[in-house]
Amino acid sequence: MTRADVRFALLNLIPAVLYGGFIVMSFTMMGGPTAGAWWLACSLGAGLWVATGILRTVALRRNWFTLGAGALLARLTASVVIGAFVVQFAVRAVIETADMLGLYHLAPNDTYGVREAVVYAVQVALILWLWVAAWAGWHLLRHRRQSEMARLRVESQRNALELDALRARLNPHFVFNALNNVRALINEEPGRAREVVTRLSNILRHALEHSQRESASLGEELAVVEDYLAVEAVHYEERLQVHRDIARDALDAQLPPMLLQLLVENAIKHGIARTPGGGELGVSAWRNGSRLAVEVSNPGRMEDSTRGHGVGLAYLRARLAREPGSHFELRQNGPRVLARLEIPQ
């Protein structure tokens, strides 16, 4: 028995004692037999206390409150009806046993048949229904609050992960290198310096705005990738070669914001940057039936592409988990690493 069970059992004594006291008070005010009132009050109070405890245990262990409203109501109603008959039969058995033992004497005109059994069961059912309404209502409110808290925790974790991923995308090294390149270009090529600043501004605005959206078109994502590649081209120069193969009919396809840019950044950081002399970055996208397929490839080894970029890949997988039917694969393809993303449309 858990601490919650003990606490409930103790608290549940309160309505049982109060109801028993009400019975004794009613008999006393009507001039009825005091002994009979006590026997009825004690046996009925104890019966209701046991019945409600059993009902609570069964409801919680069988997860009734996770069912629909109709199924829950049907189970509670059946429990109240069955419990009411069992309790009144038990109370009658206790009173008749006390009468046989000489502890209490029933009135000569006291009768107990089917009609009396039904009437007494209805009275007990009313009391049980009041208890069930109060307890079930409280439990439903508590369950709903816990579910809301769990949802908020998941939402908070997701937001924290997205924030970490946003920080990873806007890592200080990228911004630092971009600003240094701009400073070097100001005097030599001021026009190109202005272009780099514009591209960098576009990247920052896109990251901040699109991180609040559920999806973006491939065309929008390619635009920010082009800005990103233009900024990185200033840093890597001839070491960064880009091959694009984008199907025109895929430009309006939808995908989670910034995922394509994340794959491109991963390819440059762990492929181009680690390969002597650089290499070719491949970006392909096309429609595969009702799915959008995206591939980003780079020279290098897969272990280099996964080392030190856990936050980004974790964000990507967590984000795709909210897209039923989506698929992500990162594998070695000869001398190149291939990242493949498929998202249903």
Side-chain angles (χ1 to χ4, degrees):
M1 181 177 290
T2 65
R3 182 177 299 178
D5 294 332
V6 174
R7 185 169 59 248
F8 171 82
L10 295 176
L11 290 175
N12 202 33
L13 284 172
I14 297 175
V17 171
L18 290 176
Y19 184 62
F22 172 76
I23 293 176
V24 173
M25 186 181 299
S26 299
F27 268 73
T28 302
M29 293 177 63
M30 292 186 298
T34 304
W38 279 104
W39 275 104
L40 180 61
C42 292
S43 57
L44 189 54
L48 290 172
W49 182 75
V50 172
T52 51
I54 293 175
L55 192 153
R56 170 186 175 272
T57 301
V58 173
L60 295 182
R61 289 185 179 178
R62 298 191 177 182
N63 298 316
W64 286 3
F65 290 96
T66 61
L67 303 173
L72 174 61
L73 183 60
R75 283 165 172 77
L76 291 177
T77 301
S79 299
V80 167
V81 172
I82 295 172
F85 276 98
V86 171
V87 168
Q88 69 89 18
F89 283 141
V91 170
R92 185 65 187 185
V94 169
I95 292 176
E96 290 185 353
T97 301
D99 179 66
M100 287 188 296
L101 295 176
L103 301 175
Y104 166 69
H105 297 290
L106 290 170
N109 60 348
D110 184 82
T111 59
Y112 184 78
V114 175
R115 178 178 176 276
E116 287 76 17
V118 172
V119 171
Y120 295 154
V122 170
Q123 293 174 353
V124 174
L126 291 175
I127 301 302
L128 275 177
W129 257 123
L130 290 175
W131 182 92
V132 167
W135 176 74
W138 170 83
H139 190 80
L140 284 171
L141 289 175
R142 181 169 173 266
H143 181 74
R144 181 177 180 180
R145 185 177 61 208
Q146 290 177 340
S147 299
E148 182 66 14
M149 290 177 65
R151 186 190 68 80
L152 291 176
R153 280 195 296 269
V154 172
E155 184 74 15
S156 176
Q157 292 171 357
R158 190 192 75 180
N159 290 338
L161 187 59
E162 291 182 350
L163 181 59
D164 287 340
L166 180 61
R167 289 169 178 167
R169 289 196 295 270
L170 304 179
N171 64 80
H173 295 291
F174 168 70
V175 178
F176 178 76
N177 290 335
L179 293 177
N180 272 343
N181 292 330
V182 169
R183 185 181 63 179
L185 291 172
I186 287 177
N187 293 328
E188 300 177 3
E189 300 180 70
R192 194 178 181 191
R194 287 193 296 271
E195 180 187 355
V196 172
V197 171
T198 300
R199 300 272 193 176
L200 183 59
S201 174
N202 290 340
I203 295 170
L204 298 175
R205 185 181 69 252
H206 181 92
L208 294 174
E209 291 179 354
H210 284 210
S211 62
Q212 305 299 321
R213 294 171 54 179
E214 286 297 319
S215 65
S217 69
L218 177 63
E220 292 175 311
E221 294 302 295
L222 286 172
V224 74
V225 166
E226 289 300 324
D227 288 329
Y228 180 81
L229 290 174
V231 174
E232 290 287 55
V234 177
H235 180 70
Y236 290 99
E237 297 181 335
E238 290 81 8
R239 294 180 61 202
L240 175 60
Q241 304 297 321
V242 183
H243 174 73
R244 304 167 180 83
D245 184 13
I246 310 298
R248 185 176 297 274
D249 63 348
L251 293 177
D252 61 343
Q254 299 291 307
L255 72 163
M258 301 302 289
L259 290 196
L260 179 58
Q261 188 270 342
L262 189 152
L263 292 177
V264 170
E265 179 188 1
N266 195 47
I268 293 177
K269 182 178 179 181
H270 300 285
I272 304 298
R274 294 175 182 267
T275 302
E280 183 182 87
L281 171 73
V283 181
S284 304
W286 68 95
R287 280 187 179 271
N288 185 9
S290 61
R291 302 170 69 85
L292 169 66
V294 177
E295 288 186 353
V296 177
S297 63
N298 60 269
R301 307 298 302 172
M302 193 170 72
E303 53 266 26
D304 295 330
S305 295
T306 56
R307 185 185 303 121
H309 206 71
V311 172
L313 293 180
Y315 164 73
L316 187 148
R317 290 189 171 93
R319 184 62 182 83
L320 289 180
R322 292 153 49 194
E323 303 290 337
S326 61
H327 175 71
F328 172 68
E329 179 185 15
L330 184 65
R331 61 183 174 88
Q332 191 72 40
N333 186 25
R336 298 177 66 80
V337 176
L338 177 67
R340 180 183 176 90
L341 180 66
E342 286 193 11
I343 299 177
Q345 298 298 297

